[in-house]
Amino acid sequence: MPGGCDGADPDLRAIKGMGHMVIATAAGETADFVSRFFAPAHGVDEDSVTGSAHCRLIPYWSERLGKAELYAEQISQRLGRLWCRDRGERVDIAGYCIDTLIGEVLA
């Protein structure tokens, strides 16, 4: 079991009705912390890996655990693994990705 929020069963209709995004997080068993991210009002019932959520979670867990370098798992259906660093005013987030679109932007 990855951590304390893997069994969360949110009421997506209620969350959508409030227009909110919800982050569930807990200390992890194989990671420093785990999370899940729900944003049904924005067309995303559950996001696989959410960088913006981790910008908030990294400082929280860094302070709570007393360390700057953290390993996190977003325990959605497609597990996301993130290596994180709290640098004070900024955070670093690294991980693996799958290319789904490759293109070129012309000015």
Side-chain angles (χ1 to χ4, degrees):
M1 189 181 265
C5 62
D6 58 325
D9 185 21
D11 183 341
L12 296 175
R13 197 167 67 184
I15 295 170
K16 183 175 185 175
M18 293 184 294
H20 292 292
M21 295 174 272
V22 173
I23 303 168
T25 189
E29 293 178 11
T30 59
D32 291 307
F33 68 93
V34 297
S35 64
R36 292 177 67 190
F37 181 84
F38 307 96
H42 303 279
V44 181
D45 285 348
E46 182 170 6
D47 195 10
S48 299
V49 183
T50 315
S52 59
H54 282 81
C55 289
R56 304 288 290 204
L57 292 169
I58 293 165
Y60 171 82
W61 284 107
S62 176
E63 182 178 338
R64 185 164 182 156
L65 299 175
K67 59 186 196 176
E69 294 194 12
L70 304 160
Y71 171 64
E73 293 180 343
Q74 188 157 334
I75 54 175
S76 60
Q77 186 174 3
R78 187 188 76 190
L79 177 67
R81 295 177 173 97
L82 301 164
W83 290 267
C84 313
R85 181 179 310 133
D86 183 356
R87 297 190 307 136
E89 293 293 316
R90 295 190 179 270
V91 298
D92 294 332
I93 304 171
Y96 297 102
C97 67
I98 298 170
D99 292 336
T100 57
L101 178 68
I102 298 174
E104 186 175 332
V105 177
L106 304 174

